[in-house]
Amino acid sequence: MRRLNFEVLTLFPGILEGPLNESILKRARDKGLLNTSVRNIRDYTEDKHKTADDSPYGGGAGMVLKAGPIFKAFEAIKAAYPGESFLSILLSPQGRLFDQQRAEELSGEKRRIILLCGHYEAIDERVIDALVDEELSIGDYVLTGGELAALVVIDAAARLLPGVLGDEESAYRDSFGDGLLDHPHYTRPAEFLGRNVPDVLLSGNHADIDRWRRREALKATLIKRPDLLATADLTDEDRKILEGLRQELE
Ligand code: 4GY
């Protein structure tokens, strides 16, 4: 059985709680496919005020997460799993962009994955130098902290584990698997606000339906995210369809 193990380090464990305890992630945890532990960095401070951050050397606004408590937290994690190996990831806008390919790789990761979440302005660089294997960004914008990004990484990787999605849901696994956008979907009623479901979807002809869906996926990608076509898994037939679509859309 493939299983994912995450250790999240954060000053705000409560942010992770809701999402890990709902819906598919909750079910994956209950099935033992996804194992998550969320630790509060503040628990690893050693002064009486439990100081986790401090003002930056060199001056300026904002606070910097102190190295000490994070080092202690890493030591505690390593002591809790003797002989295990770890992959530590810092969520930060300075990281490499997280994408479906990285999600697929992480879903097969054997090591325990430490997700380090910064908050406030920054994190002491010595943490990154000494403890962080990889920096990941979920997009080119700045969050108040890495917690939401950590949830995105957990969610995207966990849903790719065999057994996490049920049969009903698992078709959705393919939607980005080939690097294309999804085709349109419809459910009852067949007419809504004067708009009809495409006839082919009511035809019962599954070869036609598959061809229609592929063409619509190619069309959506061409119109909305043409950049994805450079790296998508395309057959010769796909390329012909795309040529036809380009003509039509001119
Ligand atoms: N974007 N992708 C992101 C982020 C918040 C200051 C370091 C992102 O992953 N994380 O914006 N994180 C910052 C806040 C400390 C993390």
Side-chain angles (χ1 to χ4, degrees):
M1 178 170 89
R2 251 169 74 191
R3 174 215 292 274
L4 272 172
N5 292 301
F6 287 102
E7 289 277 328
V8 184
L9 280 178
T10 169
L11 282 172
F12 299 95
I15 299 176
L16 284 290
E17 220 165 85
L20 292 177
N21 285 301
E22 294 279 353
S23 183
I24 294 169
L25 293 184
K26 166 78 176 147
R27 197 177 61 202
R29 293 177 58 228
D30 289 344
K31 283 189 185 173
L33 298 169
L34 172 65
N35 177 47
T36 59
S37 147
V38 182
R39 292 171 193 251
N40 193 334
I41 294 167
R42 203 170 298 282
D43 293 343
Y44 301 93
T45 57
E46 288 181 310
D47 63 312
K48 75 166 192 287
H49 295 110
K50 300 187 188 279
T51 314
D53 60 341
D54 203 344
S55 47
Y57 276 116
M63 297 296 271
V64 178
L65 280 194
K66 290 166 71 63
I70 297 173
F71 271 73
K72 286 281 173 210
F74 267 73
E75 277 172 19
I77 292 171
K78 287 175 183 171
Y81 308 102
E84 272 201 45
S85 52
F86 300 86
L87 170 66
S88 72
I89 298 174
L90 172 67
L91 288 313
S92 119
Q94 276 78 48
R96 193 161 61 87
L97 274 185
F98 182 64
D99 59 12
Q100 190 65 19
Q101 188 191 322
R102 192 70 191 106
E104 273 161 29
E105 291 162 2
L106 283 182
S107 85
E109 180 59 57
K110 303 280 211 310
R111 291 169 288 181
R112 201 168 286 272
I113 303 171
I114 302 174
L115 296 178
L116 175 57
C117 305
H119 220 89
Y120 312 117
E121 292 300 306
I123 191 157
D124 190 299
E125 190 69 16
R126 290 161 295 187
V127 169
I128 303 170
D129 295 342
L131 298 178
V132 171
D133 296 317
E134 176 180 358
E135 284 183 83
L136 280 182
S137 167
I138 64 159
D140 293 333
Y141 37 77
V142 183
L143 304 168
T144 56
E147 291 78 11
L148 294 174
L151 284 167
V152 166
V153 169
I154 293 170
D155 190 283
R159 71 186 285 285
L160 296 171
L161 284 173
V164 166
L165 296 185
D167 284 342
E168 294 284 283
E169 300 146 341
S170 63
Y172 290 100
R173 238 192 313 247
D174 321 312
S175 20
F176 220 103
D178 49 20
L180 293 176
L181 298 186
D182 207 359
H183 55 76
H185 298 261
Y186 299 87
T187 187
R188 277 175 278 275
E191 195 220 298
F192 185 70
L193 298 178
R195 292 156 201 260
N196 292 312
V197 173
D199 282 335
V200 60
L201 298 180
L202 310 174
S203 71
N205 183 330
H206 289 286
D208 280 357
I209 291 170
D210 286 348
R211 269 192 297 275
W212 180 85
R213 286 179 170 164
R214 187 69 183 178
R215 185 182 152 83
E216 291 297 321
L218 290 164
K219 193 203 281 181
T221 310
L222 180 62
I223 293 170
K224 300 176 190 179
R225 290 292 308 278
D227 57 299
L228 295 177
L229 292 171
T231 48
D233 257 342
L234 299 176
T235 64
D236 288 345
E237 176 65 13
D238 290 333
R239 291 177 199 284
K240 277 185 204 148
I241 295 169
L242 278 168
E243 246 343 284
L245 286 168
R246 285 194 186 95
Q247 307 274 343
E248 277 179 40
L249 292 166
E250 252 177 45

